[in-house]
Amino acid sequence: MFVSASDVIIDGSLQEQKWQEQIKHTANYQVTPQTLFSSDGNFHFQIFTSEQGLYVAVSATKENPLRVRTQENDTLFTNDHIQIMLDMNNTQQTSYVFAINHQGYFYDGIYKQNKELDLDWSSNWNYAVKAHDNIWVAELYIPWNSMVFNMQEQHEFGISVSRYDEETNAIYSSIPANSSMNSFLQKFNKEVATIKAESNFDIFPYISVNRDITNNHNSTDIGTEIFWKPTKTQQISATVNPDFGQVESDELVVNFSAIESFFSEKRPFFNDNQNIFDVVGPENLRVVHTPRIGGESYYDEDYAGDLDSAFKYTFATEQVDLGLLSAFESSENGQSGRDFWVLRGQYHTDASKLGISINNVTTPSIEREATIISTDINYAYSEDTELNLGIISSHIEQTQTTSGDTGWWLTGSIESSEQQSHEFSVFSYGDELQLNDIGYVKRINRNQFEYEYEYQIPDLDMWSIRDVTFAIEAELKTNYESEKLPRILASSIELVADSEFEYQFGIEYGTSGLDDLLTRGRQSVWLPSFYIAELEISSPEYDWGTFSLEFELGTEGLSGAFYNAESSIEQQFSDNILVSFTLAQYKSDSWFDWDEGKTVDEYNFTEQSIELSLDYQIADNQELRIKFESVVGKAKHLNRYLVNAEGRLSTFGEQDDFSFSESAFQLRYKYALSQLTAFYFSYSFGGEFEDDIAKFGKLNLYKKAIDTNDAHNIFAKIRLHF
């Protein structure tokens, strides 16, 4: 990629006089394994700024040819790469992430204070790589207007530069900290730039056509997204009929449990400048979970809506941030769609933050209005100790009835030394707390305490073992009926050998107790104690690829044995073709499934799944991805039970065996005209098959799912950037 900016050409050569004048920063720290040993020879970097953006050049040493991996942009790398992280507001809350591997693939995203890396964010920046005999060079230009932050004329920001060295299987950084440490964002190096604040306007129109082969139906969609920064402190975003990402399908999931599957947001509009609305808590709680918008309603099984339009406004100063998000679904079949309103404000100083959120959702189909109010505090007691407190309440009005409840959480992370860390969470979510109109939480009706202790030996160098990590976990919980729920105790050990093989062994023990989720809250079920033993083995990254094995066994249900096994392999067939294959099987002698009311069924259950994918890099700007997934299951009925008031099971009637299968195939082609402009084409089909008498074998079940084309589509889209 060749882009002229100022008097520097981004081509990886670093021949310009401007680069010759810059200081070479050579100090490195080994941060993974976490020895924090200093060195000077792994990589060096140079930076300088202009009024329009930041220039970074990184030169990484190498002794042997580097591994080649064909992969899609915006996915994590497994071979040699560098990563730039920028805390533009210098608040130690979040960081923008820009990464390039030695082949020229890239990803960008946002690292959050809860130690999550979100790769769904994308922006427009320039880069180039060039390989030499003993080094490879990455050169970047990141415009200031590609990021959202409170611009000052003399602006101080934090920066971290790191490199994953595939030869030593270690990460080296410009700061003595890695992203799993509490002090990570606080240790960023500080830089000052003179920034010229400019108004910025981006528009992303798109047009897509879809051919539904199954239903013999054609459709065309036209929409647009607008991003405008009128001043250095404000951003306004709007969308009409928004674009759904890069034509990427969700993973195939067969879910029999009472816990809703979690899927991430893929729409660019909802990923851009979304940090202010990101508030999380235990049990995967999200105060705002935007995939709710423009889809099915959690509280109305018959409702599904399309997003008509949405609007977002954010305002940021040095210590105060404000955000407003609104979205409106279209009316269909004479029925009004849902309306969503999210208001967020937060005050921050140093690495601490206080925030308040107010969410409102109306669902006319069931005459429901939900209002959720929350406040959260992130307190950085020291570089090594961090506490988070959240309080949340819901108020629901539905068909002339009113309900409400509250919840709260307290989490903490303490690093007592470079080798030892403690994490805990204690929370209470009321049994009438309802967040899933706009948010997400795995389960409510919980009083729970969790604790984890971890001890690392990053430089053991004994018995051909490079480093070791020990961990202990404990979990205590009750519900609002004060029922005795299972208590959990677990321990694990992770070893990394000199050969770079990784081994992990863990064991978990759960006491006897009541399962209050199996019957969806109708009556808790008493189950005996259980254990789970787990072994994972991961190979090094060889030139040809990698493989891994996972195996767990134990007891579940009424003390029935189970096992779960998974093996996967990735193979690089040429410089531009990577194929991966995964096979998994789960088998249980006592698998429980809810029937209805207070009735549950016990089965001898087997589930098997396969996943095959191929990544083909046709050219620098052309990608072809093929993915096939299939899941089959067979359940032989053992007993049918009625649950009494004490949670005990009594035999109750008969039930049939059953089997099922699902499959999904997708071919995706992308032709990139620029980093943010591309043409997409996809062909997909999928099907589901169910059999009440389970007469088919696994091979026939796979075939049945493929033959049953419940969904069969051809889709094309072009997304432009002006």
Side-chain angles (χ1 to χ4, degrees), residues 393-443:
S393 68
S394 64
H395 178 79
I396 311 297
E397 295 183 4
Q398 183 172 346
T399 57
Q400 299 181 343
T401 63
T402 301
S403 64
D405 214 329
T406 60
W408 61 268
W409 68 87
L410 175 66
T411 64
S413 179
I414 303 168
E415 293 167 357
S416 53
S417 70
E418 291 179 356
Q419 283 73 43
Q420 300 183 73
S421 65
H422 310 259
E423 292 190 3
F424 73 88
S425 69
V426 55
F427 61 91
S428 177
Y429 298 156
D431 59 348
E432 293 295 327
L433 183 65
Q434 299 181 51
L435 310 179
N436 290 355
D437 291 87
I438 180 63
Y440 178 91
V441 65
K442 286 174 63 176
R443 73 191 90 195

Side-chain angles (χ1 to χ4, degrees), residues 117-379:
L117 176 58
D118 180 3
L119 296 184
D120 291 321
W121 176 83
S122 296
S123 190
N124 195 22
W125 51 288
N126 305 317
Y127 64 92
V129 298
K130 180 167 286 189
H132 304 275
D133 290 340
N134 298 317
I135 64 169
W136 70 275
V137 177
E139 185 178 10
L140 300 83
Y141 171 65
I142 305 171
W144 302 127
N145 61 20
S146 68
M147 301 170 285
V148 178
F149 60 97
N150 176 31
M151 292 184 183
Q152 306 295 319
E153 187 174 348
Q154 292 296 313
H155 191 88
E156 184 179 60
F157 63 94
I159 183 171
S160 165
V161 181
S162 63
R163 184 250 181 132
Y164 169 69
D165 182 357
E166 66 177 47
E167 200 154 359
T168 60
N169 193 29
I171 297 176
Y172 299 86
S173 176
S174 61
I175 62 172
N178 63 43
S179 59
S180 67
M181 298 170 62
N182 292 338
S183 59
F184 178 58
L185 291 169
Q186 301 175 47
K187 290 186 179 295
F188 276 27
N189 298 318
K190 306 302 179 185
E191 298 287 341
V192 177
T194 300
I195 295 179
K196 182 179 180 181
E198 297 178 339
S199 175
N200 188 58
F201 185 84
D202 292 287
I203 182 170
F204 294 86
Y206 85 95
I207 182 171
S208 66
V209 294
N210 184 72
R211 167 64 176 167
D212 185 342
I213 299 174
T214 302
N215 298 306
N216 192 28
H217 175 70
N218 298 321
S219 62
T220 301
D221 279 326
I222 299 175
T224 189
E225 297 164 2
I226 298 171
F227 302 94
W228 179 35
K229 299 176 186 174
T231 69
K232 64 182 182 180
T233 60
Q234 300 178 82
Q235 175 164 318
I236 298 172
S237 310
T239 182
V240 177
N241 196 22
D243 171 20
F244 276 75
Q246 299 182 357
V247 205
E248 184 179 0
S249 62
D250 288 322
E251 297 296 321
L252 181 62
V253 176
V254 178
N255 187 0
F256 289 99
S257 75
I259 297 175
E260 179 189 14
S261 297
F262 181 90
F263 295 104
S264 65
E265 179 63 82
K266 293 184 171 63
R267 292 168 290 185
F269 174 83
F270 289 111
N271 286 322
D272 184 80
N273 196 22
Q274 192 69 16
N275 294 342
I276 187 174
F277 302 107
D278 289 335
V279 181
V280 301
E283 294 294 278
N284 210 16
L285 182 145
R286 301 290 192 273
V287 173
V288 176
H289 182 53
T290 54
R292 299 275 184 216
I293 303 173
E296 297 178 354
S297 169
Y298 183 83
Y299 297 104
D300 182 2
E301 296 180 355
D302 299 324
Y303 175 87
D306 291 325
L307 181 56
D308 202 2
S309 60
F311 172 86
K312 189 189 303 182
Y313 171 79
T314 58
F315 173 82
T317 66
E318 288 189 53
Q319 292 186 307
V320 176
D321 302 325
L322 298 173
L324 171 67
L325 171 65
S326 60
F328 310 97
E329 294 179 342
S330 56
S331 301
E332 295 184 4
N333 302 321
Q335 189 176 71
S336 298
R338 292 175 295 175
D339 295 339
F340 299 83
W341 292 90
V342 177
L343 180 64
R344 170 75 175 171
Q346 60 188 28
Y347 172 83
H348 46 79
T349 175
D350 296 327
S352 300
K353 178 178 65 178
L354 168 65
I356 298 175
S357 299
I358 302 174
N359 306 335
N360 181 268
V361 182
T362 57
T363 308
S365 63
I366 53 175
E367 300 179 23
R368 177 184 174 94
E369 180 176 3
T371 302
I372 296 98
I373 301 174
S374 68
T375 182
D376 55 278
I377 300 173
N378 177 268
Y379 176 52

Side-chain angles (χ1 to χ4, degrees), residues 579-597:
V579 176
S580 63
F581 176 75
T582 300
L583 173 65
Q585 178 159 305
Y586 161 77
K587 188 177 188 309
S588 174
D589 295 336
S590 182
W591 180 76
F592 275 89
D593 187 35
W594 175 58
D595 189 355
E596 60 181 5

Side-chain angles (χ1 to χ4, degrees), residues 502-505 532-539 547-553 562-569 582-586:
E502 296 183 13
Y503 306 88
Q504 182 171 325
F505 176 76
I532 301 172
E534 181 180 13
L535 174 66
E536 297 182 19
I537 302 174
S538 300
S539 79
F547 68 89
S548 64
L549 301 169
E550 298 181 24
F551 184 79
E552 63 178 9
L553 57 83
F562 85 94
Y563 73 81
N564 190 21
E566 179 178 305
S567 62
S568 62
I569 184 170
T582 300
L583 173 65
Q585 178 159 305
Y586 161 77

Side-chain angles (χ1 to χ4, degrees), residues 432-712:
E432 293 295 327
L433 183 65
Q434 299 181 51
L435 310 179
N436 290 355
D437 291 87
I438 180 63
Y440 178 91
V441 65
K442 286 174 63 176
R443 73 191 90 195
I444 54 174
N445 190 18
R446 276 292 182 276
N447 298 300
Q448 189 160 316
F449 171 78
E450 298 179 13
Y451 169 78
E452 179 179 356
Y453 168 77
E454 187 175 282
Y455 182 78
Q456 301 180 51
I457 307 177
D459 53 349
L460 181 64
D461 194 22
M462 183 182 299
W463 306 311
S464 299
I465 298 173
R466 191 187 73 178
D467 50 270
V468 181
T469 301
F470 300 93
I472 297 175
E473 299 177 48
E475 180 182 299
L476 306 175
K477 55 191 175 184
T478 64
N479 57 24
Y480 272 67
E481 289 74 41
S482 300
E483 294 180 327
K484 180 186 176 184
L485 305 179
R487 300 177 180 180
I488 308 296
L489 180 64
S491 63
S492 64
I493 180 172
E494 183 177 349
L495 310 173
V496 180
D498 292 337
S499 63
E500 297 182 20
F501 267 94
E502 296 183 13
Y503 306 88
Q504 182 171 325
F505 176 76
I507 188 162
E508 177 180 312
Y509 172 77
T511 66
S512 59
L514 290 164
D515 184 330
D516 61 348
L517 294 177
L518 182 56
T519 65
R520 291 13 178 208
R522 289 164 177 81
Q523 181 63 57
S524 299
V525 180
W526 182 270
L527 295 175
S529 60
F530 65 90
Y531 78 91
I532 301 172
E534 181 180 13
L535 174 66
E536 297 182 19
I537 302 174
S538 300
S539 79
E541 290 276 346
Y542 298 109
D543 289 340
W544 58 265
T546 183
F547 68 89
S548 64
L549 301 169
E550 298 181 24
F551 184 79
E552 63 178 9
L553 57 83
T555 60
E556 65 179 9
L558 297 180
S559 299
F562 85 94
Y563 73 81
N564 190 21
E566 179 178 305
S567 62
S568 62
I569 184 170
E570 288 188 353
Q571 183 161 357
Q572 188 78 44
F573 280 94
S574 66
D575 285 354
N576 56 356
I577 297 179
L578 177 70
V579 176
S580 63
F581 176 75
T582 300
L583 173 65
Q585 178 159 305
Y586 161 77
K587 188 177 188 309
S588 174
D589 295 336
S590 182
W591 180 76
F592 275 89
D593 187 35
W594 175 58
D595 189 355
E596 60 181 5
K598 299 179 182 180
T599 305
V600 296
D601 293 290
E602 183 184 19
Y603 294 91
N604 186 310
F605 181 75
T606 302
E607 182 178 278
Q608 190 178 92
S609 64
I610 58 174
E611 180 179 335
L612 177 65
S613 64
L614 180 146
D615 293 348
Y616 177 31
Q617 191 73 26
I618 303 171
D620 288 344
N621 63 340
Q622 296 184 70
E623 305 169 358
L624 179 67
R625 315 291 171 191
I626 298 175
K627 181 171 69 173
F628 173 76
E629 298 175 274
S630 190
V631 179
V632 302
K634 298 190 68 173
K636 181 180 180 182
H637 191 259
L638 300 176
N639 293 289
R640 194 179 194 198
Y641 298 105
L642 182 66
V643 188
N644 65 22
E646 288 75 38
R648 304 297 177 174
L649 301 175
S650 57
T651 304
F652 174 70
E654 297 292 334
Q655 183 63 287
D656 293 330
D657 301 340
F658 73 90
S659 61
F660 68 90
S661 58
E662 293 187 27
S663 69
F665 171 87
Q666 185 180 56
L667 179 150
R668 288 192 297 136
Y669 170 78
K670 175 184 176 182
Y671 185 92
L673 302 171
S674 70
Q675 196 165 340
L676 296 177
T677 297
F679 167 77
Y680 304 92
F681 171 84
S682 76
Y683 167 70
S684 61
F685 66 82
E688 299 181 14
F689 172 78
E690 294 183 5
D691 174 28
D692 290 337
I693 58 176
K695 62 184 178 182
F696 294 104
K698 293 188 184 69
L699 190 60
N700 279 326
L701 286 172
Y702 282 119
K703 185 175 183 301
K704 287 286 185 182
I706 296 172
D707 292 342
T708 307
N709 285 329
D710 299 325
H712 196 181

